[in-house]
């Protein structure tokens, strides 16, 4: 790629999450000669200047003005950088032009999208064009769905090492999670429901775990919506609100890599509660909450956990790889900071940096399909995630 002015442009740097991404790059790489060259972008130069100063970034940090509704400004922005990192969602409202601009200019792209109907539309619309231009379009580069996408990838690596073949069944089980909901997540889910109401055919994408694998439909998958007692873990499992997007991305990674997990791979995600009647009650209550997962007053876009909540947040996910003969292995992914903002801002920043040295061909992919284990190493070194075999 001939573009050399910047390595990364953070588009949406004046928003809540974009600011955190800029802060991470400033704090982690700002004074390093070997760090990426980066710029902050948004609609208002005045706001960009204010955020740059508030986060303590160098006054020499470049600022770029671009508007989601102005295609020319987006193409001009893309022409100046190797990677565009965008936090401007919901993407089905504000992402169409930017994806098109990146595909047209051959610029790599990464976002925090958890909107499967929009993602499928972009796959169908721009998949071939992205391959042709060399643009790597990397959706879902935050809590949805990196810990799950890469957790399954690493669990399967260990399964092949121990059992000589991939596990045909993996259970993703959230053991612990602390941190408030993201207003952006709420807005994205709301817009997805509106899109389905306008175009009912999109409901097939939402319903199917293979909604992001055009041309391939694997075996029947567990719904994950019914509270279940898991005997081997001695705990009840309840529905997990992010499963609908994460499962699709896990299957898309398997699909794009040529099915290294097998074409018969089965995967679901749930949240673990506790043993006995108490755990059952908690699981049933969680299932009931899925009807309105964010409560009476959900956070608005740009709202989220306080700095203290972000710093004290965490998550712990277990992946149980089950073999046909009854053997299994446990693989864990742990993250420091709250998942929706503190950890997510670090994950997408490191994904963007990972794309700079990525050798994968252009197309619309996932963090797992583009970077895989290289991204695991980067997240462990720079984003306070740990990936580890447990038994």
């Amino acid at each position: 790629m001939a573009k050399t002015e910047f390595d990364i442009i953070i588009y949406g740097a004046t928003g809540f999450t974009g600011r955190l991404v800029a802060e991470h790059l400033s704090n982690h790489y700002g004074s390093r000669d070997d760090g990426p060259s980066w710029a902050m972008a948004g609609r208002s130069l005045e706001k960009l200047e204010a955020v740059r100063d508030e986060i303590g970034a160098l006054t020499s940090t470049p600022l770029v003005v671009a508007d989601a509704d102005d295609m020319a400004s987006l193409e001009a922005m893309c022409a100046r950088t190797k990677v565009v990192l965008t936090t401007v969602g919901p993407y089905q409202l504000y992402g169409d032009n930017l994806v098109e601009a990146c595909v047209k200019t051959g610029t790599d792209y990464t976002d925090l999208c958890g909107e499967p109907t929009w993602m499928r539309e972009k796959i169908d619309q721009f998949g071939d064009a992205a391959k042709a231009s060399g643009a790597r379009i990397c959706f879902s580069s935050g809590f949805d769905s990196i810990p799950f996408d890469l957790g399954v990838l690493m669990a399967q690596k260990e399964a092949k090492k121990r059992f000589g073949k991939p596990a045909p069944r993996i259970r993703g089980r959230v053991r612990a999670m602390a941190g408030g909901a993201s207003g952006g997540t709420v807005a994205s889910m709301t817009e997805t429901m509106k899109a389905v109401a306008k175009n009912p055919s999109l409901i097939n994408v939402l319903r199917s775990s293979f909604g992001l694998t055009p041309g391939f439909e694997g075996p029947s998958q567990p719904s994950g919506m019914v509270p279940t007692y898991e005997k081997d873990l001695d705990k009840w499992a309840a529905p997990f609100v992010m499963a609908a997007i994460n499962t699709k991305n896990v299957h898309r990674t398997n699909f794009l890599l040529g099915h290294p997990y097998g074409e018969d791979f089965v995967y679901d995600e749930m949240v673990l509660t506790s043993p006995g009647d108490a755990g059952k009650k908690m699981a049933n209550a969680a299932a009931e909450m899925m009807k309105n997962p964010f409560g009476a007053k959900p956070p608005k876009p740009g709202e989220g956990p306080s700095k203290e909540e972000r710093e004290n947040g965490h998550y712990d996910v277990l992946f149980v790889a089950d073999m046909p003969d009854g053997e299994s292995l446990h693989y864990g992914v742990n993250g420091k900071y709250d998942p929706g903002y503190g950890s997510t801002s670090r994950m997408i920043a490191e994904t963007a940096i990972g794309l700079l040295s990525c050798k994968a061909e252009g197309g619309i992919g996932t963090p797992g399909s583009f970077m895989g284990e290289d991204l695991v190493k980067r997240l462990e070194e720079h984003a306070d995630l740990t990936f580890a075999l447990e038994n």
Side-chain angles (χ1 to χ4, degrees):
M1 187 178 293
K3 296 182 281 288
T4 57
E5 187 175 359
F6 304 122
D7 291 325
I8 299 165
I9 288 180
I10 305 167
Y11 181 60
T14 59
F16 198 99
T17 307
R19 177 187 303 231
L20 293 175
V21 174
E23 195 168 26
H24 175 73
L25 289 181
S26 176
N27 292 343
H28 210 68
Y29 300 101
S31 60
R32 288 171 50 172
D33 293 335
D34 61 344
S37 60
W38 59 281
M40 299 166 60
R43 289 180 298 175
S44 166
L45 180 60
E46 186 178 356
K47 289 182 179 178
L48 287 168
E49 290 172 338
V51 171
R52 177 195 62 195
D53 296 342
E54 287 167 10
I55 66 174
L58 297 173
T59 55
S60 58
T61 302
L63 307 177
V64 177
V65 176
D67 191 311
D69 294 326
D70 182 349
M71 193 67 179
S73 73
L74 294 179
E75 287 187 19
M77 176 180 73
C78 292
R80 300 176 68 184
T81 188
K82 295 175 182 175
V83 181
V84 171
L85 181 166
T86 174
T87 61
V88 182
Y91 295 94
Q92 56 204 292
L93 294 183
Y94 307 113
D96 288 344
N97 287 342
L98 183 55
V99 170
E100 183 175 354
C102 285
V103 170
K104 185 176 180 180
T105 58
T107 305
D108 288 348
Y109 164 106
T110 185
D111 71 15
L112 299 172
C113 189
E115 305 162 43
T117 55
W118 180 78
M119 292 162 63
R120 177 56 187 268
E121 287 179 340
K122 297 305 110 177
I123 290 167
D124 294 341
Q125 187 178 4
F126 294 119
D128 291 340
K131 289 179 183 177
S133 74
R136 290 173 293 213
I137 308 299
C138 190
F139 295 136
S140 304
S141 303
F143 184 64
D144 49 335
S145 300
I146 279 180
F148 306 91
D149 182 21
L150 298 183
V152 171
L153 184 142
M154 295 302 290
Q156 289 289 31
K157 177 187 175 183
E158 296 297 338
K160 291 174 190 174
K161 189 184 300 183
R162 181 178 299 182
F163 306 120
K165 55 187 176 182
R169 167 89 166 99
I170 287 184
R171 289 172 282 155
R173 297 296 181 258
V174 179
R175 291 185 287 203
M177 188 167 65
S182 157
T185 297
V186 178
S188 293
M189 289 185 172
T190 300
E191 291 305 320
T192 296
M193 292 303 104
K194 289 180 181 178
V196 170
K198 291 179 183 177
N199 182 2
S201 67
L202 294 175
I203 199 166
N204 294 325
V205 174
L206 285 183
R207 283 177 172 169
S208 174
S209 296
F210 300 95
L212 299 181
T213 60
F216 175 78
E217 186 75 24
S220 176
Q221 305 284 310
S223 74
M225 296 303 293
V226 179
T228 305
Y229 175 66
E230 308 223 315
K231 188 174 181 181
D232 61 322
L233 303 177
D234 190 27
K235 289 184 178 180
W236 281 84
F240 177 44
V241 70
M242 306 310 300
I245 181 62
N246 294 337
T247 53
K248 291 176 178 60
N249 278 318
V250 166
H251 284 296
R252 180 158 176 78
T253 291
N254 187 34
F255 170 75
L256 291 173
L257 294 178
H259 293 105
Y261 313 158
E263 293 190 4
D264 59 347
F265 180 58
V266 176
Y267 175 71
D268 73 324
E269 292 176 1
M270 300 185 81
V271 178
L272 295 177
T273 58
S274 58
D277 290 340
K280 185 176 182 179
K281 288 180 180 178
M282 291 170 64
N284 286 329
E288 186 65 26
M289 283 179 60
M290 287 293 286
K291 298 175 182 177
N292 184 18
F294 301 109
K297 293 184 177 181
K300 298 175 183 178
E303 293 181 351
S306 66
K307 182 176 181 179
E308 183 179 4
E309 289 173 324
R310 295 196 305 270
E311 295 292 325
N312 293 329
H314 62 273
Y315 51 92
D316 174 11
V317 186
L318 169 68
F319 297 91
V320 182
D322 293 317
M323 303 303 292
D325 60 3
E327 289 193 277
S328 67
L329 65 77
H330 289 188
Y331 194 91
V333 176
N334 289 267
K336 188 179 177 184
Y337 312 111
D338 84 287
Y341 283 119
S343 186
T344 280
S345 59
R346 290 165 170 84
M347 282 190 274
I348 191 172
E350 297 301 330
T351 297
I353 297 173
L355 284 170
L356 295 172
S357 58
C358 177
K359 303 301 183 185
E361 295 181 353
I364 298 181
T366 62
S369 69
F370 281 136
M371 288 164 280
E373 200 168 342
D374 287 341
L375 183 57
V376 170
K377 294 175 183 175
R378 171 160 286 283
L379 294 173
E380 288 189 313
E381 292 174 1
H382 302 287
D384 291 296
L385 272 75
T386 58
F387 294 76
L389 181 65
E390 296 185 356
N391 73 348

